[in-house]
Amino acid sequence: MAELLFLSELRFPMISTYKNKISIGITILLLASCNYFSSESIANPIARVGESYLVLSDLNKIIPDNLSPEDSTILANNYIQDWAQQQLMLSRAKLNIPEMKQQEFEDLVKQYRADLYINAYKEGLVAKSMDKQVSHMELETYYENHKENFKLNERLVKIRYINVANDYDNINQLRAAIRRFNHEDKQLLESLAITFKSYSLNDSTWVKSSSIIQKLPKITMDNSESYLKKSHFFELSDSLGVYLVTVNEVLGRNDIAPLEYVEPTVRKIILNKRKLDFIKNLERELLDEATGNKEFEIFELKQDSKQ
C-alpha cells in the first residue's frame, strides 16, 4: 500500500513578493505508516505518496503573491489533497493496467512531447521567416480558380437605412435624400446623423440578410424577400421609431459570393497553403542537410542467416 504524508495544517505568517521566501509552519500527519521522509535527499518536502514527493517549490508556483495568509492556506491544502489523490490513483493504475498497455501510454506521451517541441519550433520559424503578404493578384487568381467553393448559404445585401424618432421634424426631407442619395444628399444626411437614433449610410458593403432582419422590425426570414429587393425603398415603424431603408444590391442564396466579401477567407486559405509548403520545404531541407553532413544515415539491414 502506498504511504501518504500530507499537511493537516499549513500557515503563511507573511506573504513575500518572492514566493521562495514564504515562511511556512508545517504540521505533518502520518496516515498509513510511521516512517518519516528524510529532508536530506529531498529539498523542502511538503508531502509524500510512496516514492513521490511534493516540495515547497511546487507550492510556490501555484500561490499568487497577493493572496491573504488564510486564502494561501486553503489553496495550498487543496493543492496538496489533489496532488495526493492523483499520485494514489496513478500508483493504483500502474498496478492494475497491463504492462503492454502502459508501454502504449508511454509511447503516446513521448510522441505528444515530441510533437509539442516540433510544432513550437515550426510555428516560431513560420512567424519569423514566412512571407505573410498576399497581393491582390494572388487573391483574384485563387478566387477565380475556386469560385464554386464560395457559394452563399444566405442572401447578401447592400443597404442604407436611417432610424429616427416617430415625431422627427421634416422626415420627408430624409425620405427623399436616402432614396436619391446623390452627393448633396450624402452631405445632408451626414450633417444630420447626430439626430438619428441609428443609421448606416455605407451601402457599398455586403451584409448578411440575417443581420438586417435583426436590426429592422417586422422583417422575418419568411417575408424578407418582399423587402430586401434590389433598388427597393421601404419604410417601417414601431413604438421606437421610423426606419427609412433603401436596398442597393442583393445576392441570393447559392449565388457566388463576391471577392470583396470572401477576401478574408481567401487570404487565410492562401496563407495556410503557403505555411504547409514552407514547412514541407523546411523538413526536406533539414533532411537533406542532415544526410549531407552524415548526421543522418540509413543502415542496410542484415539478412537472417537462417532464412
Side-chain angles (χ1 to χ4, degrees), residues 88-300:
L88 288 167
M89 290 297 293
L90 180 59
S91 65
R92 296 302 187 277
K94 288 182 176 180
L95 287 174
N96 290 278
I97 294 177
E99 288 188 12
M100 184 178 296
K101 195 67 176 178
Q102 291 188 42
Q103 186 57 52
E104 290 181 18
F105 292 157
E106 290 299 324
D107 292 341
L108 288 173
V109 169
K110 289 179 182 178
Q111 185 60 53
Y112 180 65
R113 181 168 57 248
D115 289 342
L116 284 176
Y117 278 98
I118 293 170
N119 289 335
Y121 175 63
K122 288 179 180 178
E123 291 297 331
L125 286 176
V126 167
K128 181 179 180 180
S129 304
M130 192 187 82
D131 179 15
K132 300 174 186 64
Q133 297 298 319
V134 180
S135 68
H136 189 70
M137 182 176 294
E138 287 180 283
L139 292 169
E140 285 186 331
T141 300
Y142 186 91
Y143 173 77
E144 291 297 330
N145 292 335
H146 301 85
K147 271 188 174 181
E148 291 301 313
N149 295 335
F150 299 107
K151 288 186 177 181
L152 295 169
N153 54 19
E154 72 169 285
R155 282 179 300 148
L156 297 181
V157 296
K158 288 183 176 180
I159 196 171
R160 57 185 181 269
Y161 80 93
I162 299 171
N163 174 212
V164 296
N166 285 305
D167 58 353
Y168 191 88
D169 291 336
N170 204 7
I171 195 170
N172 288 331
Q173 183 185 34
L174 298 185
R175 288 192 184 100
I178 199 167
R179 294 185 69 173
R180 189 172 50 235
F181 209 57
N182 58 27
H183 180 69
E184 290 75 17
D185 295 326
K186 292 178 183 179
Q187 289 185 321
L188 171 66
L189 294 174
E190 289 173 357
S191 68
L192 295 173
I194 193 173
T195 66
F196 303 156
K197 294 169 70 69
S198 64
Y199 69 99
S200 175
L201 302 178
N202 182 12
D203 61 357
S204 62
T205 300
W206 291 104
V207 182
K208 290 181 179 180
S209 59
S210 57
S211 298
I212 302 302
I213 292 171
Q214 291 176 359
K215 289 181 179 295
L216 302 179
K218 300 181 181 180
I219 300 182
T220 66
M221 293 299 294
D222 294 331
N223 67 15
S224 61
E225 289 190 18
S226 61
Y227 288 100
L228 303 179
K229 299 181 292 186
K230 183 176 181 178
S231 303
H232 179 55
F233 170 81
F234 61 92
E235 182 174 331
L236 299 169
S237 62
D238 60 13
S239 60
L240 299 178
V242 178
Y243 297 81
L244 307 176
V245 185
T246 298
V247 181
N248 192 7
E249 291 186 58
V250 178
L251 284 174
R253 194 169 183 270
N254 292 322
D255 284 347
I256 303 297
L259 174 59
E260 61 191 276
Y261 182 76
V262 296
E263 181 176 327
T265 301
V266 175
R267 185 182 304 275
K268 185 179 293 185
I269 292 172
I270 292 173
L271 287 175
N272 283 340
K273 184 178 182 303
R274 188 181 296 174
K275 176 181 176 181
L276 292 175
D277 291 340
F278 178 88
I279 292 174
K280 186 175 180 180
N281 290 333
L282 170 67
E283 292 172 337
R284 183 170 56 249
E285 291 173 2
L286 186 63
L287 190 62
D288 290 343
E289 181 182 346
T291 303
N293 61 24
K294 304 301 182 181
E295 184 181 356
F296 167 60
E297 296 180 77
I298 299 178
F299 301 105
E300 185 176 344

